[in-house]
Amino acid sequence: MLLRHTTPKEIDRQALTINPAKTCQPVGAMYAALGLHKCLPHSHGSQGCCSYHRSALTRHFKEPVMAATSSFTEGSSVFGGTANLVQSINTIFTVYEPDIIAAHTTCLSETIGDDMTAIIGKAKDDGVVPEGKHVIYCNTPSYVGTHVTGYANQVTSFVKSFSTATPKKKNVVNLVAGWMEPSDMAEIKRLAKVLEARTIMFPDLTGVLDAPMDGKFHMYPNGGTTLEDMAATGDSKFSIGMGPYSTEDACKTLENKCKVKFEMVDIPIGLKATDRFLMSLSRHANVPVPDEITNERGRLVDLIADSARLLYGRRVALWGDPDTLIPLTEFLVSLDMRPVYVVTGTPGKLFDARMKEILEKVPEAKFKSGERADMFQMHQWIKQEGVDLLIGNTYGKYIARDEDTPFVRFGFPIMDRSGHNYMPKTGYQGAANLVVQILGALLDHEDRTCSEEKIELQM
Amino acid sequence: MGMKNKKDLAKFRETVIEKYPNKVAKKRAKAIINNDPENIPEIQANIRTIPGIITQRGCTYAGCKGVVLGPTRDIVNITHGPIGCGFYSWLTRRNQTSTTSDADENFIPYCFSTDMQDSNIVFGGEDKLKQAVREAVELFNPKAVAIFSTCPVGLIGDDVHKVAEQMREEFDNKINVFGFSCEGYRGVSQSAGHHIANNELYRNLIGNDDTMVGSAKYRINMLGEYNIGGDAFEIERIFEKCGIQLVSTFSGNSTISSFEQAHTADLSLVMCHRSINYVAEMLETSFGIPWIKVNLIGADSTAKALRKIAAYFEDDELKAKVEEVIAEEMKDVNAAREAVLPKTTGKSAMLFVGGSRAHHYQDLFEELEIKTIAAGYEFGHRDDYEGRRVIPSIKIDADSRNIEEITVKRDEKRYKERMTKEKLEELQKQVDLEYNDYKGLMPQMEKGTLVIDDLSHYEMDKLIEMYQPDIFCAGVKEKYVVQKMGVPLKQLHNYDSGGPYAGFKGAINFYNDIAMMVSTSIWKEVKAPWEKEEMIEAVYAC
């Protein structure tokens, strides 16, 4: 047994987190920053963080993940990191020539209280920020919230730094993308195109963390929201924020700054969340939903109807980030599956409220968020009463093997499989991908473990 | 291949530093060396990283918790800090472990963290840490709990050593609780973490148990071997076959008791000199156990290491056994090597890895007739490049001055001279034991090759562009960067999930993996057919 020390016996833990269902802020800020064109993320802290965050993203995407660091030493940790950041900015613009440096902080620079505005101001005074180049930042203390919070903070900094309102609003809808895969963003952009809606997506990881191999290393790939588009978000007539945990802050900031009204929707994962997203986009972009999309929806409904008996009543444990868990749990319920255990390490009341509402039909369900809402807790619940399916990141494979439970990889990080960043989970097409993956996991397990006389040639 | 002309390599430093701001250029110039094994140049190493340069380096916590303590299966390692540090070091290094049954403790698949919140930063985290230790003990009932400090811990003044002591008392000294001041900002790299880990291993574990486990003949410690991809398993297999008793490995596939009994060995072998030379020295000073440098990466190097051990024990029976094992193992090794040489001979490699592998793996590449044209460490010190002879001339700078140096005294009760100095020196003359010595990476590399410390992304990019190596060796952050350029990258930290690469079987694995990498078909498909010129001409010809 891999997790041989995990037993069903729970104690009331007050201090110890075991096998977290979250990580810390800066990796989210780094990820989001890569969604701006010609932007280099910068970690203002000691260099270990930056290496860890780059490695985590690289392991997930199997793609280059570039970022620089202030490389604090003990001296700068005591006397402040001003000189480090100013020197970083100089080195980065001279050697790596980005258009934008998007800095974030760590628990180190936050604890010592480095004043980022002042330091960046000093860098400008010192003349190390070339004409037309930008240094933006967000505060991302690792001891507050999680990686999702860091993502949200970085997206908000884009708005603070670049969104500009001119007197003329344009018939454009901002699509503020919560933490999802590049493939998910691509799928959402495809849907918007089919609707003929004029949109600006930010951040936009497509083309960045799913870049082609062409024999050259492109430090700044073709993808990413451009500075022009980012500035233009202030002139859009509306914003749709996908995933309240990762985008609500940015939407509110944009409303306050540029008077762009907004609506929050879930990341369009599953049937109903996609329905709501499309209706929101259709309404705010003032475009009808074409038959092509209605047909896509119909195909998904068809697939679910065809597979219903295999999904009905199956108990599922899932873990991950609230913005994806909420629509995913809702989708599972709409498949008549029973999401009995749901944990996210990311704190917040919204998750609890939405779960309560979504899981009304699953009275036995347990869910938890925030500190100590970890995979150890979830595994203890599984030990008490088992499940038919696990859905979550790579760390679930240890539970899947110990408990001999079918497992679908979903969320961040997925380090032990490749290609997941090419396959969307959003939209009707993404929902179909998910159903196919779920069925595959359930049926493969059935075929492997049932008695020989029960082997079925057909569904 | 770019290595047709050695003069090319000489151009590298000048070309690359042109791009840097003046101050940066001045500093980097001292870390980029055109090697001369006859007259080894001084390299700048183990100094602070240049901010913004895009380094490969990590931090002290990674060197301490991630590298040295991570591989021991029966210690509950609690990260005292916000969640990230614990999360990123959770199973990400492939230090394997093997237990005999499910009844044995194995905490490696778990991540334990105090998950500090802002209130812990403001009011201190000691109470939460104590409670976390209690909860870990209640749930996991371990023999030992180790506490690792992260960046904010030192800044807010939490005293992990005091907490550890209080917890030991609370558990009536039945559970060994100890702390590490391995905050990420200490030192300039992972290296400081190794040193801190070594000190605390010595203070809290080494020498705690005088039990002599196993055979009394040929008792050795394997220092600086972390069982990545099962390397230590292969080494264990070879030693067992030779009848050599492995008392402890620091720290691949290790347990607390193996550390506690390490002082009962008669010889220490040092693999990764950088991470463990401190323990090697302390074991010699305290208990009289001499250490020699070995390399078990490469079949010939493994044979050489076994012969050194046999020479040290001065035992004909062992010498004969070792020769027998080598002869037997080399049959398969030679067959595997012959099979791949047509694919590998004459190719070129570049190696930029941690603090030892950039050197060790050159032996394997030599066996494949692949030439290493550039190499360097992330966090090696000058002695790892130039050899230990330069240690007296190394100046510890302000950034590393606060890394604790512990003074170790002879353990009067248990010190035992294993071999007189005179005898060791005599042996040293007969066999190149590398007793108390490590010659470093530079003497092995040819004249005119490049040695670069703390390679930056920019330098890597230029190296590949200018010299087009057939294979590049580094880590996960570099892997996909290099492969986008059409050059295969072998990860020498995690072996791309492969391994073992140590010992004889490991050499065979490596030969096959490298042959696969330099002959994978997909590299020929990087350009689409319609982007190739001859295609366009062909269209016109129609």
PDB file of all heavy atoms in Angstrom, chain B residues 242-253:
ATOM      1  N   CYS B 242      29.010  -8.996  -3.940  1.00  0.00           N
ATOM      2  CA  CYS B 242      30.437  -9.028  -3.612  1.00  0.00           C
ATOM      3  C   CYS B 242      30.676  -9.404  -2.149  1.00  0.00           C
ATOM      4  O   CYS B 242      31.824  -9.543  -1.730  1.00  0.00           O
ATOM      5  CB  CYS B 242      31.097  -7.680  -3.881  1.00  0.00           C
ATOM      6  SG  CYS B 242      31.104  -7.202  -5.595  1.00  0.00           S
ATOM      7  N   GLY B 243      29.616  -9.492  -1.373  1.00  0.00           N
ATOM      8  CA  GLY B 243      29.780  -9.798   0.044  1.00  0.00           C
ATOM      9  C   GLY B 243      30.197  -8.591   0.866  1.00  0.00           C
ATOM     10  O   GLY B 243      30.793  -8.712   1.939  1.00  0.00           O
ATOM     11  N   ILE B 244      29.900  -7.384   0.329  1.00  0.00           N
ATOM     12  CA  ILE B 244      30.233  -6.156   1.061  1.00  0.00           C
ATOM     13  C   ILE B 244      29.007  -5.716   1.852  1.00  0.00           C
ATOM     14  O   ILE B 244      27.899  -5.653   1.298  1.00  0.00           O
ATOM     15  CB  ILE B 244      30.676  -5.049   0.072  1.00  0.00           C
ATOM     16  CG1 ILE B 244      31.957  -5.472  -0.650  1.00  0.00           C
ATOM     17  CG2 ILE B 244      30.857  -3.722   0.791  1.00  0.00           C
ATOM     18  CD1 ILE B 244      32.292  -4.637  -1.867  1.00  0.00           C
ATOM     19  N   GLN B 245      29.203  -5.428   3.135  1.00  0.00           N
ATOM     20  CA  GLN B 245      28.071  -5.051   3.991  1.00  0.00           C
ATOM     21  C   GLN B 245      27.825  -3.547   3.902  1.00  0.00           C
ATOM     22  O   GLN B 245      28.683  -2.748   4.297  1.00  0.00           O
ATOM     23  CB  GLN B 245      28.370  -5.442   5.436  1.00  0.00           C
ATOM     24  CG  GLN B 245      27.339  -4.978   6.445  1.00  0.00           C
ATOM     25  CD  GLN B 245      26.071  -5.821   6.397  1.00  0.00           C
ATOM     26  OE1 GLN B 245      26.128  -7.048   6.298  1.00  0.00           O
ATOM     27  NE2 GLN B 245      24.928  -5.164   6.460  1.00  0.00           N
ATOM     28  N   LEU B 246      26.669  -3.184   3.404  1.00  0.00           N
ATOM     29  CA  LEU B 246      26.303  -1.766   3.325  1.00  0.00           C
ATOM     30  C   LEU B 246      25.612  -1.380   4.631  1.00  0.00           C
ATOM     31  O   LEU B 246      24.488  -1.791   4.889  1.00  0.00           O
ATOM     32  CB  LEU B 246      25.368  -1.563   2.122  1.00  0.00           C
ATOM     33  CG  LEU B 246      25.026  -0.144   1.723  1.00  0.00           C
ATOM     34  CD1 LEU B 246      26.267   0.671   1.406  1.00  0.00           C
ATOM     35  CD2 LEU B 246      24.114  -0.157   0.496  1.00  0.00           C
ATOM     36  N   VAL B 247      26.309  -0.635   5.465  1.00  0.00           N
ATOM     37  CA  VAL B 247      25.747  -0.268   6.773  1.00  0.00           C
ATOM     38  C   VAL B 247      24.712   0.838   6.606  1.00  0.00           C
ATOM     39  O   VAL B 247      23.637   0.798   7.188  1.00  0.00           O
ATOM     40  CB  VAL B 247      26.866   0.177   7.739  1.00  0.00           C
ATOM     41  CG1 VAL B 247      26.293   0.577   9.100  1.00  0.00           C
ATOM     42  CG2 VAL B 247      27.894  -0.932   7.906  1.00  0.00           C
ATOM     43  N   SER B 248      25.069   1.834   5.806  1.00  0.00           N
ATOM     44  CA  SER B 248      24.124   2.929   5.609  1.00  0.00           C
ATOM     45  C   SER B 248      24.296   3.518   4.221  1.00  0.00           C
ATOM     46  O   SER B 248      25.379   3.420   3.636  1.00  0.00           O
ATOM     47  CB  SER B 248      24.366   4.032   6.642  1.00  0.00           C
ATOM     48  OG  SER B 248      25.537   4.752   6.301  1.00  0.00           O
ATOM     49  N   THR B 249      23.215   4.077   3.715  1.00  0.00           N
ATOM     50  CA  THR B 249      23.310   4.926   2.531  1.00  0.00           C
ATOM     51  C   THR B 249      22.748   6.283   2.927  1.00  0.00           C
ATOM     52  O   THR B 249      21.670   6.356   3.512  1.00  0.00           O
ATOM     53  CB  THR B 249      22.504   4.338   1.354  1.00  0.00           C
ATOM     54  OG1 THR B 249      23.015   3.046   1.045  1.00  0.00           O
ATOM     55  CG2 THR B 249      22.616   5.232   0.124  1.00  0.00           C
ATOM     56  N   PHE B 250      23.485   7.315   2.646  1.00  0.00           N
ATOM     57  CA  PHE B 250      22.991   8.678   2.890  1.00  0.00           C
ATOM     58  C   PHE B 250      22.600   9.241   1.544  1.00  0.00           C
ATOM     59  O   PHE B 250      23.452   9.641   0.784  1.00  0.00           O
ATOM     60  CB  PHE B 250      24.074   9.549   3.528  1.00  0.00           C
ATOM     61  CG  PHE B 250      24.303   9.293   4.985  1.00  0.00           C
ATOM     62  CD1 PHE B 250      24.838   8.098   5.427  1.00  0.00           C
ATOM     63  CD2 PHE B 250      23.979  10.259   5.926  1.00  0.00           C
ATOM     64  CE1 PHE B 250      25.062   7.862   6.773  1.00  0.00           C
ATOM     65  CE2 PHE B 250      24.196  10.047   7.276  1.00  0.00           C
ATOM     66  CZ  PHE B 250      24.735   8.845   7.706  1.00  0.00           C
ATOM     67  N   SER B 251      21.269   9.200   1.276  1.00  0.00           N
ATOM     68  CA  SER B 251      20.197   8.709   2.077  1.00  0.00           C
ATOM     69  C   SER B 251      19.190   7.928   1.237  1.00  0.00           C
ATOM     70  O   SER B 251      18.049   7.808   1.619  1.00  0.00           O
ATOM     71  CB  SER B 251      19.522   9.892   2.799  1.00  0.00           C
ATOM     72  OG  SER B 251      19.232  10.915   1.818  1.00  0.00           O
ATOM     73  N   GLY B 252      19.634   7.395   0.093  1.00  0.00           N
ATOM     74  CA  GLY B 252      18.697   6.646  -0.741  1.00  0.00           C
ATOM     75  C   GLY B 252      18.263   5.352  -0.084  1.00  0.00           C
ATOM     76  O   GLY B 252      19.098   4.612   0.437  1.00  0.00           O
ATOM     77  N   ASN B 253      16.972   5.066  -0.103  1.00  0.00           N
ATOM     78  CA  ASN B 253      16.411   3.852   0.490  1.00  0.00           C
ATOM     79  C   ASN B 253      16.882   3.676   1.938  1.00  0.00           C
ATOM     80  O   ASN B 253      17.212   2.574   2.355  1.00  0.00           O
ATOM     81  CB  ASN B 253      16.813   2.627  -0.362  1.00  0.00           C
ATOM     82  CG  ASN B 253      15.969   1.407  -0.039  1.00  0.00           C
ATOM     83  OD1 ASN B 253      14.808   1.538   0.359  1.00  0.00           O
ATOM     84  ND2 ASN B 253      16.534   0.233  -0.177  1.00  0.00           N
TER      85      ASN B 253
END
